Amino acid sequence: MKVIVTGSSGYIGGQIALQLRDAGHQVLGIDSQEPPKQLRGVCSEFLYQDFASDVALSWTVAAQPVAVIHCAGASLVGPSMKDPAHYFNNNVAKSLRLIDTVREKLPQAKFVFSSSAATYGVPYMNPAHEVDLCEPISPYGESKLMVEQILHWYNQAYGMNYVAFRYFNACGADAQARHGQAPGATHIIARVLESLRDNQTFTLNGTDYPTDDGTCVRDYVHVADIAQAHISVISQSTESGVYNLCSNRGISNRQIIEAAEKITGRKLSVAHGTQRPGDPPILTANSRKFDMTVSGWRKYTLDDMIQHAWNWYVREDKKV
């Protein structure tokens, strides 16, 4: 099948493009960044454009894809607190242009949206379920929730076929070490592994949260499992709506450090820092809704996530 992936040069979009190609699909990528070297040639066609530009929208319509997987967007909580205008413009206004184009010109195409656990804010219940109240505590989370609401009402009014995936902490790297996070990524596993690789001190943001060990607790999901979930929903009939993508297990930041030290055989130097604005103490989820829809999409453990990410750093960095 012909599938368009926006943000195909990025971490998650790139992995989705890679696994779509592995599955035999024709992948067309759009990104405002050129693909990194490991992704060159993955897309049969690549457009170097902002996904909401007139050129990109016309190109999308001309391609007549069976699905549009929308991964492009600004994706960090911290920067969104400092510059919300950028997040609402990039994540909401531009996404609406793309959604309207798909609705009007590609009514048979499935629209798959990369949403986020940040839509929950500080959840009223842990683990979070899709029916729970969402009260984002960052412009990033708010922007993702706004697009979810647009898609919901477009489905109600126009019958638009969509799936919105709320990613919990995406991590790891391609199991064959073909793709992984770019240098300087802000996610904790990437930061811990880079610190271990470079023999640098890691700053642990927040050790006084109301959790068992004082550090944030999150639900981690392998980026390859996320990619498999996308392949599954474009290959079969899936009810329109919002779905959690998670591991159904909460892991603290301290546990991440311990697992990384065990897998790499190295000791991490840790400095204690302050809490980051917009970070809830605990954010875990239940993926039963999607698990009942698609079986076998998730296969990797936390150790796999860390091991695959470490393999990527070993391959990419000459210091190791």
Side-chain angles (χ1 to χ4, degrees):
M1 295 185 289
K2 187 183 291 185
V3 182
I4 284 180
V5 179
T6 72
S8 61
S9 297
Y11 172 51
I12 296 175
Q15 188 66 35
I16 292 170
L18 190 60
Q19 288 180 224
L20 280 168
R21 186 197 63 177
D22 290 347
H25 300 299
Q26 182 182 357
V27 188
L28 287 71
I30 306 174
D31 205 302
S32 58
Q33 301 292 324
E34 291 280 10
K37 62 181 184 297
Q38 72 270 13
L39 293 177
R40 292 171 191 163
V42 169
C43 296
S44 60
E45 297 180 41
F46 177 78
L47 184 65
Y48 181 32
Q49 281 277 331
D50 185 300
F51 71 88
S53 69
D54 291 341
V55 171
L57 295 177
S58 296
W59 188 78
T60 297
V61 172
Q64 292 292 300
V66 299
V68 175
I69 297 177
H70 183 33
C71 298
S75 61
L76 299 175
V77 169
S80 80
M81 304 290 281
K82 298 177 180 178
D83 188 9
H86 172 66
Y87 277 71
F88 290 120
N89 179 53
N90 200 53
N91 291 3
V92 182
K94 290 183 179 181
S95 291
L96 181 57
R97 286 200 74 197
L98 176 62
I99 292 167
D100 276 333
T101 297
V102 173
R103 173 179 67 86
E104 295 168 3
K105 306 294 185 182
L106 301 168
Q108 302 306 313
K110 177 172 285 187
F111 192 89
V112 187
F113 174 59
S114 295
S115 190
S116 169
T119 56
Y120 288 107
V122 180
Y124 285 86
M125 297 288 289
N126 272 295
H129 294 70
E130 293 87 349
V131 295
D132 292 349
L133 180 65
C134 290
E135 292 187 338
I137 57 174
S138 69
Y140 167 64
E142 193 75 59
S143 72
K144 291 294 187 179
L145 183 59
M146 290 171 75
V147 176
E148 285 187 11
Q149 292 169 335
I150 289 167
L151 290 168
H152 166 76
W153 290 113
Y154 273 35
N155 171 260
Q156 295 292 304
Y158 311 121
M160 188 170 184
N161 186 7
Y162 84 96
V163 167
F165 282 130
R166 289 177 180 164
Y167 304 155
F168 283 69
N169 287 41
C171 58
D174 180 70
Q176 300 175 49
R178 297 173 297 177
H179 176 57
Q181 289 193 298
T186 60
H187 301 293
I188 185 171
I189 290 178
R191 290 172 51 226
V192 165
L193 292 179
E194 287 194 359
S195 296
L196 285 166
R197 178 196 65 192
D198 300 335
N199 196 29
Q200 294 181 346
T201 298
F202 169 77
T203 300
L204 180 58
N205 294 118
T207 57
D208 54 352
Y209 285 99
T211 60
D212 288 344
D213 64 17
T215 65
C216 285
V217 173
R218 296 290 183 267
D219 195 321
Y220 294 87
V221 58
H222 199 296
V223 67
D225 287 338
I226 289 175
Q228 183 56 48
H230 287 74
I231 294 169
S232 298
V233 297
I234 67 166
S235 302
Q236 65 184 60
S237 177
T238 306
E239 183 179 353
S240 290
V242 175
Y243 297 88
N244 289 335
L245 292 187
C246 60
S247 67
N248 301 313
R249 181 188 177 196
I251 303 293
S252 76
N253 287 352
R254 289 194 190 277
Q255 289 174 311
I256 291 290
I257 292 170
E258 291 169 2
E261 289 179 332
K262 178 189 72 174
I263 288 167
T264 64
R266 302 185 179 195
K267 184 67 177 176
L268 183 66
S269 172
V270 179
H272 293 171
T274 59
Q275 296 183 16
R276 297 187 308 177
D279 268 350
I282 302 174
L283 186 51
T284 61
N286 182 294
S287 63
R288 186 169 181 268
K289 179 182 176 182
F290 190 63
D291 296 343
M292 293 178 65
T293 302
V294 174
S295 61
W297 68 274
R298 184 181 56 238
K299 65 179 182 179
Y300 293 116
T301 66
L302 176 68
D303 281 357
D304 293 327
M305 299 172 204
I306 294 174
Q307 183 67 67
H308 293 163
W310 184 243
N311 292 346
W312 167 250
Y313 286 120
V314 168
R315 174 172 176 166
E316 288 298 299
D317 198 285
K318 302 299 183 182
K319 295 179 181 178
V320 178

